[in-house]
Amino acid sequence: MSLTTLTLFNNVVVGTPNGNYDGSTTFFESEPVKGAGYYQGQGSLQTVFVTVTNFPGAMKFMATLDFDPATANWFEVYDLTDDSTEFRFPINLTGNYTWLKAVVTGFEDETGQDAAINSVTVTY
């Protein structure tokens, strides 16, 4: 059995455009990635691993059961709000989700300490 690991965010730093983050907004979301349910029979457990530094915001994980992410009905499956600004955090999501994405709010650097989302990955 082989594992699939997909990246939602990688090295996103406040003020520096990267992926769907334009470098100035405090709200942005990742591109959707295929969940375990996309491959029928793959299983229903996905593990999201989050690593951040000086993170000032909140992150929610959204999922859908639809196969077309452009027209999908997204719903929240996990709300990661942590008072600490640095953490490494694994999250197990159980469900036959076809697509997953992360939504970030409050991403701003009020302390001048280079707030960053080091990585957010999904493995199944």
Side-chain angles (χ1 to χ4, degrees):
M1 180 176 137
S2 64
L3 290 178
T4 299
T5 299
L6 304 168
T7 301
L8 292 170
F9 294 120
N10 190 33
N11 297 320
V12 179
V13 178
V14 165
T16 304
N18 182 330
N20 284 351
Y21 174 58
D22 69 5
S24 64
T25 60
T26 63
F27 170 89
F28 61 100
E29 58 186 54
S30 70
E31 289 292 332
V33 297
K34 292 176 182 173
Y38 187 88
Y39 307 100
Q40 297 170 351
Q42 178 83 10
S44 63
L45 178 64
Q46 291 103 157
T47 300
V48 177
F49 196 76
V50 178
T51 305
V52 298
T53 305
N54 300 319
F55 183 69
M59 193 177 305
K60 292 184 180 188
F61 294 93
M62 311 294 287
T64 186
L65 303 174
D66 300 330
F67 279 91
D68 182 1
T71 60
N73 291 315
W74 294 92
F75 52 91
E76 183 179 315
V77 291
Y78 195 88
D79 183 354
L80 177 60
T81 304
D82 194 301
D83 290 337
S84 64
T85 59
E86 295 189 37
F87 52 88
R88 294 173 53 97
F89 197 83
I91 303 162
N92 286 324
L93 303 176
T94 303
N96 290 319
Y97 309 129
T98 53
W99 293 91
L100 298 165
K101 67 180 177 180
V103 176
V104 175
T105 57
F107 192 62
E108 55 191 324
D109 191 1
E110 297 175 348
T111 63
Q113 296 183 1
D114 296 327
I117 301 170
N118 304 98
S119 69
V120 179
T121 59
V122 177
T123 301
Y124 51 86

